Amino acid sequence: MAAYIIRRLLLIIPTLFGMMLVTFVIVQFAPGGPVERVLAVLSGADTGAGSRVPGGGQGGDFGARGTQVGPQSDGGSPKYRGAQGLDPKFIESLERQFGFDKPAHERFFLMVWNYLRFDFGRSYFRDINVIDLIKEKLPVSISLGIWLTLLSYLISIPLGIRKAVNDGSAFDVWTSGVIIVAYALPGFLVAVLLVVLFAGGSFFAWFPLRGLTSENFALLPWYRQILDYLWHMVLPIISLGLAAFATMTLLTKNSFLDEIRKQYVLTARAKGCSERQVLYGHVFRNAMLIVISGFPGAFVHAFFAGSLLIEVIFSLDGIGLLGFESIINRDYPVVFATLYIFGLIGLIVTLISDLTYTWVDPRIDFESREV
């Protein structure tokens, strides 16, 4: 097992390298860039997501660190939209500030070297280190991700098992109908509906509309702080969780149904095992393998994906909103840093998921497999 873990950890390096290289190349051919973003603001044609244009030395520190991508100038002659009539020396100073005076391959390898040391530099358009910016936004995504993953598994697995045991019954039919409807509803539409119904939109004002905590959160006693936090999380988690809840429930049901129909279950029943012993002593371990295999994707999705519109609707300033604004504003240091961190987390979680297989089913031996 140790050899397998070491091989998987070593594979993380070329995987991350390939992911960053492909993204870097794609961005090289994407229209626009931070220089054009600045020029658009200066010309009054900015359509960004609200980030500030660097003034003075903002972003200049990052320009020397090599995590830069974007359009190049040809032979020192600027070729940016909106640059007509501007002093070429001003354009060259912008290129130096963002690091575009270096060749693309030099910028890429400098970026890789910095990222190996977890040095993500500074944001182009925010006067803050990228890692500090991510830390600032991460609590929101962590809160949403932990609760979404925890509740979806705690509810979906028992419900899926009961649906499998009672396959074809009235309970199975009506719960399947509810699950299909829940899966079909877009999360942002559910969020808007919940705001209208329960957050003071038109009917009731039972839940807060903004943020993770109230304005007087620091003044509340600890038990009131916990209740206040949970009170703020109810509507966002419901909006995010319906699709994940439906998917996990049906996955669990189908997995258990497939195992219940196998010969070893009939053998266990013939030996006199109770239905509970058969279900949790024999079927559970085999059926949970497919559920565990989907955990990495569910984990990463719950933390970092699909929450942009929910964060906007409920005014939650998290990673989803940060990533969207960074792409719109061509804030490439933030874009690449979040991609690198999320990719690394996803690969590590996938390894943990594989190791969990051996805990659920000791018959699985990764040592005898090639990676």
Side-chain angles (χ1 to χ4, degrees), residues 264-279 281-282:
Y264 73 88
V265 175
L266 297 177
T267 303
R269 287 171 176 166
K271 289 182 177 180
C273 294
S274 66
E275 195 64 24
R276 185 177 184 85
Q277 289 175 325
V278 171
L279 194 60
H282 298 273

Side-chain angles (χ1 to χ4, degrees), residues 3-9 11 366-371:
Y4 174 78
I5 295 175
I6 292 174
R7 291 197 303 268
R8 288 292 299 271
L9 290 175
L11 276 175
F366 288 109
E367 287 287 354
S368 60
R369 296 177 50 201
E370 293 292 333
V371 179

Side-chain angles (χ1 to χ4, degrees), residues 222-240:
W222 66 269
Y223 61 91
R224 291 286 303 277
Q225 289 181 342
I226 295 175
L227 293 176
D228 181 75
Y229 166 76
L230 295 176
W231 184 44
H232 281 76
M233 291 298 298
V234 171
L235 298 187
I237 291 301
I238 292 176
S239 305
L240 277 172

